[in-house]
């Protein structure tokens, strides 16, 4: 009897220990070094969860899979949904159909130039329109842990240019939702991804990239395409860090709280992280000998004017898909205005 009791005690104790041990598969399609949102997953989110979980009596282990080793940039949303990844970071720009309305920062270009402002405006929009957060759970079985983004978008090209007319017929790559910026200017938009860029620029598949300085330098695009024009399309809060809903629901309440709190902290530090990464990119491009010039104010305003109807167009498109497009675009533009950010044109959503 004593032996059986001792055995049962050992089994129960072992079960209690294992219940406090958790392993999470976390991943992203982009590699860590050139992409700030992934670097912050690896160097901020992961160690912070481990630290806080340990203080709460849990042991958390992460299996980290960045650079598309489990899921590519256009596969991460689905990989979190089906549980291949427990936690995923991704640019919503690579889900232009499923996350159409979440791409609202791209629908109002020439917005916040500072990444702190961009993240704050995106957060204000999510808070104002709960549908955005709820869509992750209702349609894709995942919990939104936090937002991240990209630093200020500019344009790198293989050849120099100064006016919009110089871009007529020029093939320029982008992530997808921002390609209309090129189309409205008379360029030829080409959808692509960062890992494809170096070879495609080198071989003439396209002749430029609508891209942020950190990525332009990080992916070494300046080698085949040395001309980088500061346009100031704006920084965007467009990346999501999400967790599989079933996995999240299976966790003890205190660990759920830790994940949500660290996700919020990951978002809170994103702006400064992106600003630092932009400075790193611009310095790196300068030191590497890239030619960096600034677009004239008049040309910038003319480009913005060509896009003046774009936000309303996208809002109505979302409305037609049964999404709160008008509400979201109005909330985003209000957040930008409330922050005192001036844009070169006034967008109106009717």
């Amino acid at each position: 009897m004593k032996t059986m009791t001792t055995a049962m005690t050992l089994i129960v104790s072992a079960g209690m220990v294992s219940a406090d041990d958790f392993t999470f598969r976390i991943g992203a399609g982009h590699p860590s070094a050139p992409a700030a949102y992934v670097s912050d997953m690896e160097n901020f989110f992961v160690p912070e969860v481990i630290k806080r979980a340990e203080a709460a009596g849990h042991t958390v282990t992460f299996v980290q899979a960045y650079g598309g080793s489990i899921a590519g940039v256009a596969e991460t949303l689905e990989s979190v949904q089906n549980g291949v990844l427990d936690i995923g970071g991704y640019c919503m720009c690579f889900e232009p159909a499923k996350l159409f309305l979440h791409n609202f920062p791209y629908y109002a270009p020439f917005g916040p130039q500072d990444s702190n402002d961009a993240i704050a405006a995106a957060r204000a929009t999510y808070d104002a329109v709960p549908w955005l957060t709820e869509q992750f759970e209702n349609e894709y079985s995942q919990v939104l842990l936090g937002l991240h983004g990209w630093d200020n978008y500019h344009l790198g090209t293989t050849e120099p240019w100064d006016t919009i007319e110089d871009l007529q017929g020029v093939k320029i790559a982008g992530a997808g939702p921002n390609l209309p910026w090129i189309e409205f200017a008379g360029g030829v938009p080409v959808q692509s991804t960062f890992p494809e860029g170096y070879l495609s620029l080198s071989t003439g598949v396209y002749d430029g990239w609508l891209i942020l300085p950190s990525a332009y330098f990080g992916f070494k695009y300046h080698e085949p395409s040395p001309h980088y024009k500061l346009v100031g399309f704006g920084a965007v809060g467009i990346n999501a860090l999400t967790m599989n809903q079933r996995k999240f629901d299976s966790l003890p309440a205190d660990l759920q709280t830790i994940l949500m709190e660290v996700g919020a902290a990951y978002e809170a530090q994103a702006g400064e992280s992106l600003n630092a990464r932009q400075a790193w990119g611009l310095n790196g491009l300068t030191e590497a000998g890239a030619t960096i010039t600034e677009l004239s104010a008049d040309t910038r305003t003319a480009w913005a004017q060509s896009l003046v109807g774009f936000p309303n167009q996208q809002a109505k498109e979302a409305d037609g898909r049964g999404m709160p497009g008008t509400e979201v675009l109005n909330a985003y533009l209000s957040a930008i205005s409330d922050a005192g950010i001036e844009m070169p044109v006034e967008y109106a959503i009717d």
Side-chain angles (χ1 to χ4, degrees):
M1 184 71 175
K2 182 178 179 182
T3 302
M4 181 177 295
T5 302
T6 302
M8 289 297 293
T9 300
L10 288 172
I11 292 171
V12 171
S13 297
M16 291 175 64
V17 171
S18 64
D20 287 332
D21 294 342
F22 302 91
T23 298
F24 300 133
R25 296 182 300 276
I26 187 171
H30 290 113
S32 176
Y37 82 98
V38 186
S39 295
D40 288 347
M41 289 168 65
E42 180 181 25
N43 300 317
F44 179 85
F45 181 83
V46 165
E48 190 67 15
V49 169
I50 291 172
K51 181 181 72 174
R52 296 194 194 190
E54 183 178 3
H58 302 296
T59 299
V60 170
T61 302
F62 281 92
V63 176
Q64 301 184 70
Y66 308 125
S69 56
I70 287 181
V73 294
E75 301 164 343
T76 309
L77 173 73
E78 292 77 9
S79 294
V80 176
Q81 181 178 2
N82 61 32
V84 173
L85 288 172
D86 298 310
I87 301 171
Y90 46 91
C91 180
M92 292 177 277
C93 57
F94 294 112
E95 295 289 351
K98 291 184 176 181
L99 298 179
F100 178 82
L101 190 49
H102 292 264
N103 282 281
F104 63 85
Y106 286 122
Y107 303 154
F110 300 98
Q113 302 294 293
D114 182 276
S115 291
N116 282 309
D117 293 334
I119 298 295
R123 170 47 57 192
T125 306
Y126 276 76
D127 290 345
V129 188
W131 181 93
L132 290 165
T133 302
E134 293 166 358
Q135 190 192 23
F136 286 105
E137 179 179 351
N138 295 338
E139 298 185 30
Y140 305 115
S141 303
Q142 47 201 283
V143 178
L144 177 62
L145 300 177
L147 299 171
H148 209 290
W150 298 116
D151 48 283
N152 202 349
Y153 273 87
H154 305 291
L155 179 58
T157 53
T158 56
E159 300 294 332
W161 65 280
D162 293 307
T163 68
I164 292 178
E165 289 71 27
D166 294 336
L167 297 176
Q168 302 300 304
V170 176
K171 293 177 292 184
I172 298 173
N178 57 358
L179 288 176
W181 303 352
I182 299 301
E183 188 175 9
F184 277 96
V188 178
V190 181
Q191 184 161 349
S192 189
T193 62
F194 288 164
E196 301 169 348
Y198 190 95
L199 180 61
S200 295
L201 287 166
S202 300
T203 57
V205 173
Y206 40 73
D207 305 300
W209 246 101
L210 193 62
I211 195 171
L212 35 139
S214 61
Y216 208 72
F217 177 64
F219 286 96
K220 301 185 184 301
Y221 288 0
H222 59 281
E223 293 179 356
S225 183
H227 301 279
Y228 196 69
K229 183 76 74 176
L230 302 180
V231 178
F233 289 106
V236 289
I238 197 64
N239 294 348
L241 183 69
T242 63
M243 184 168 190
N244 177 274
Q245 181 77 58
R246 295 180 299 279
K247 183 74 170 184
F248 183 84
D249 290 344
S250 73
L251 302 174
D254 63 336
L255 189 51
Q256 291 179 347
T257 299
I258 287 169
L259 286 162
M260 294 301 295
E261 289 178 346
V262 178
Y266 167 84
E267 178 181 313
Q269 59 85 59
E272 286 302 323
S273 176
L274 289 165
N275 283 339
R277 188 59 67 92
Q278 174 168 259
W280 169 81
L282 288 173
N283 289 336
L285 289 172
T286 299
E287 292 174 0
T291 302
I292 300 176
T293 56
E294 186 170 357
L295 190 66
S296 72
D298 288 345
T299 301
R300 185 173 185 267
T301 298
W303 198 330
Q305 188 61 47
S306 75
L307 288 157
V308 70
F310 184 49
N312 191 57
Q313 170 189 308
Q314 297 303 91
K316 298 315 172 192
E317 174 66 24
D319 290 342
R321 300 186 186 192
M323 305 173 180
T326 294
E327 185 181 3
V328 165
L329 265 297
N330 273 324
Y332 182 59
L333 292 173
S334 292
I336 292 173
S337 177
D338 292 345
I341 299 168
E342 294 186 4
M343 305 175 80
V345 295
E346 184 176 350
Y347 297 123
I349 310 298
D350 57 36

